[in-house]
Amino acid sequence: MAKPVSIEVWNPNGKYRVVSTKSMPGTRWINLLIEQDCRVEICTQKKTILSVEDIIALIGDKCDGVIGQLTEDWGEALFSALRRAGGTAFSNMAVGYNNVDINAASKYGVAVGNTPGVLTETTAELAASLSLAAARRIVEADGFMRAGLYDGWLPHLYVGNLLKGQTVGVIGAGRIGSAYARMMIEGFKMNLIYYDLYQATRLEKFITAYAEFLKANGEKPVTWKRAASMEEVLREADVISLHPVLDKTTYHLINKESLAIMKKEAILVNCSRGPVVDEVALVEHLRENPMFRVGLDVFEDEPYMKPGLADMKNAIVVPHIASASKWTREGMATLAALNVLGKIKGYPVWYDPNRVEPFLNENVPPPAASPSIVNSKTLGLPISKL
Ligand SMILES: NC(=O)c1ccc[n+]([C@@H]2O[C@H](COP(=O)([O-])OP(=O)(O)OC[C@H]3O[C@@H](n4cnc5c(N)ncnc54)[C@H](O)[C@@H]3O)[C@@H](O)[C@H]2O)c1
Ligand SMILES: O=C(O)[C@H](O)CO
């Protein structure tokens, strides 16, 4: 028998019981649920990662829907428990849902929501920050200053790379990968090479138009190329940023062999998911190639780092904060709550998960729809015509 889990309750007399496994930023998401007759229970347990047993205890005997986190293992055990409690709705407070077994959810008739779009620019900005920090050795230089080692300007002190005119490589040019590419191209006039299973048509059009603009103003135009293979990107790019989903095709996409074909002074950034990179191979590569630099927001065995990584001066590491801006995190909470609410109330699924802005305007009520349900087709859920 699992121990009871501590909770905070809002609107105790609400008809529908919605559980959030974590406190989430802002209050709009709570208010939206309360306005629609939900009793909201927020787990207040002082434990960062909840176990399956903890969550089963939270679900209890009657639960209509759950808002969960990417650190939780949402599989057979949790979806069957949710279904037994009468629940049909779950949403990750994240766009990535590799922690969720979609087949198990669909088997129990549970809709699975995620939070696309609201975090695109915020995440791309962190990838751009890591790219810059690595190129200009900002973290190393900051440590040097704080250690009191600076005793005057020197021609060789913390010399890094100029991004202008270099090539940025993007693996996975979806929402975030494309936003990052635009930042690096428009901001730093880099050239692009990308690899994705699909053509990034809008991105290509943007760069073509930007190149025309530069040319018309007497500047060197930027260029773009869609690579036929990921290896082509790795060979040619000076800065490579990883933005694919994590699935069987992308697990250890970056490994000993792929690292070996990258330029010795390349920069690698990962703001996707840790297991996209073989971290043991990466530590080895960083050790053998001191001019190779890496910026990591995610780790293979999160929250842990593989042995040796923390000692590498050519690595910048931050704790999975790519989507951590106030506006984005509040928006993610709102989208996750509305995913769950929409299913409970029998609303349709929003017609385009790439256009979620109408749900984020605090001055008007959100559309009566679930913003993004990833198994909507399998469950045969109706799509909004709004
Ligand atoms: N670090 C963070 O805090 C953070 C924040 C947001 C998202 N993410 C991660 O970023 C991922 C991408 O988010 P998004 O909104 O851009 O999703 P998206 O679906 O718009 O983009 C993912 C892209 O990856 C491509 N892809 C899939 N398999 C591939 C493969 N084998 N090789 C190359 N490309 C492949 C897809 O075609 C797609 O274009 C999420 O799934 C999540 O895991 C991390
Ligand atoms: O997938 C996601 O959304 C992130 O990892 C957290 O923002």
Side-chain angles (χ1 to χ4, degrees):
M1 181 74 181
K3 281 197 206 128
V5 180
S6 57
I7 50 163
E8 169 187 309
V9 180
W10 294 71
N11 193 30
N13 297 323
K15 177 172 169 194
Y16 309 103
R17 180 169 175 259
V18 174
V19 169
S20 175
T21 62
K22 282 273 172 268
S23 155
M24 299 190 292
T27 49
R28 184 172 180 239
W29 70 275
I30 300 173
N31 293 334
L32 287 168
L33 289 171
I34 291 175
E35 279 162 20
Q36 301 261 354
D37 210 6
C38 295
R39 168 189 167 106
V40 182
E41 293 188 17
I42 303 171
C43 177
T44 53
Q45 196 88 348
K46 297 242 171 304
K47 185 178 180 189
T48 304
I49 301 181
L50 296 182
S51 67
V52 167
E53 290 69 33
D54 294 330
I55 299 172
I56 288 176
L58 274 173
I59 290 172
D61 299 335
K62 193 237 171 227
C63 179
D64 297 285
V66 179
I67 302 164
Q69 301 296 326
L70 59 86
T71 47
E72 299 156 6
D73 180 9
W74 278 84
E76 179 79 26
L78 288 182
F79 287 117
S80 60
L82 182 55
R83 191 63 213 210
R84 275 196 305 279
T88 58
F90 166 78
S91 184
N92 238 16
M93 185 209 168
V95 67
Y97 51 89
N98 51 286
N99 61 311
V100 182
D101 181 342
I102 301 296
N103 291 333
S106 301
K107 178 174 137 189
Y108 291 102
V110 177
V112 174
N114 71 338
T115 65
V118 66
L119 41 63
T120 297
E121 304 291 329
T122 303
T123 305
E125 283 180 13
L126 198 272
S129 310
L130 289 173
S131 305
L132 284 179
R136 300 304 299 273
R137 306 175 64 184
I138 290 172
V139 176
E140 280 176 82
D142 177 274
F144 176 84
M145 284 298 288
R146 289 169 199 275
L149 298 171
Y150 182 51
D151 54 10
W153 190 90
L154 280 172
H156 291 293
L157 198 59
Y158 290 104
V159 171
N161 303 1
L162 171 70
L163 296 179
K164 187 179 178 193
Q166 286 207 325
T167 299
V168 61
V170 171
I171 313 277
R175 285 175 293 249
I176 299 168
S178 289
Y180 167 83
R182 286 182 56 158
M183 286 174 194
M184 302 309 283
I185 292 154
E186 202 178 348
F188 306 108
K189 299 198 176 72
M190 298 184 81
N191 300 308
L192 173 72
I193 179 165
Y194 79 92
Y195 176 70
D196 197 300
L197 309 179
Y198 302 97
Q199 187 174 6
T201 316
R202 285 179 65 188
L203 176 62
E204 292 177 1
K205 279 191 185 151
F206 168 80
I207 304 168
T208 304
Y210 184 51
E212 290 296 326
F213 168 82
L214 290 173
K215 214 163 127 190
N217 284 281
E219 288 190 67
K220 193 170 177 227
V222 289
T223 62
W224 63 265
K225 176 159 92 170
R226 180 181 177 197
S229 68
M230 182 188 75
E231 287 69 25
E232 202 179 325
V233 176
L234 300 182
R235 256 190 297 273
E236 292 184 23
D238 301 289
V239 180
I240 294 154
S241 197
L242 307 172
H243 298 285
V245 298
L246 170 63
D247 63 14
K248 281 188 208 126
T249 70
T250 59
Y251 175 79
H252 280 193
L253 202 60
I254 301 298
N255 52 34
K256 192 175 165 57
E257 289 72 37
S258 42
L259 285 163
I261 59 177
M262 291 172 69
K263 294 182 181 176
K264 292 277 181 228
E265 298 191 5
I267 290 168
L268 177 70
V269 170
N270 189 11
C271 288
S272 60
R273 283 289 183 266
V276 171
V277 176
D278 176 346
E279 213 170 288
V280 169
L282 177 67
V283 173
E284 191 59 29
H285 192 77
L286 286 165
R287 199 171 278 134
E288 287 169 6
N289 298 277
M291 296 311 288
F292 184 90
R293 286 177 227 142
V294 73
L296 302 174
D297 180 52
V298 287
F299 304 89
E300 194 169 350
D301 305 322
E302 237 165 88
Y304 308 107
M305 286 187 275
K306 292 285 189 202
L309 183 59
D311 303 325
M312 306 309 303
K313 283 209 164 21
N314 44 351
I316 298 169
V317 288
V318 294
H320 205 148
I321 53 167
S323 67
S325 73
K326 184 174 180 289
W327 181 81
T328 286
R329 287 285 167 86
E330 291 187 5
M332 288 164 74
T334 296
L335 294 182
L338 291 176
N339 281 332
V340 167
L341 181 69
K343 181 65 175 62
I344 291 174
K345 301 285 282 187
Y347 296 156
V349 176
W350 189 239
Y351 72 102
D352 186 354
N354 291 314
R355 290 164 195 256
V356 294
E357 295 80 9
F359 295 92
L360 303 171
N361 182 349
E362 299 199 8
N363 302 316
V364 290
S370 289
S372 178
I373 300 293
V374 297
N375 57 347
S376 58
K377 265 199 194 133
T378 315
L379 296 182
L381 300 178
I383 302 299
S384 165
K385 301 248 183 334
L386 294 175

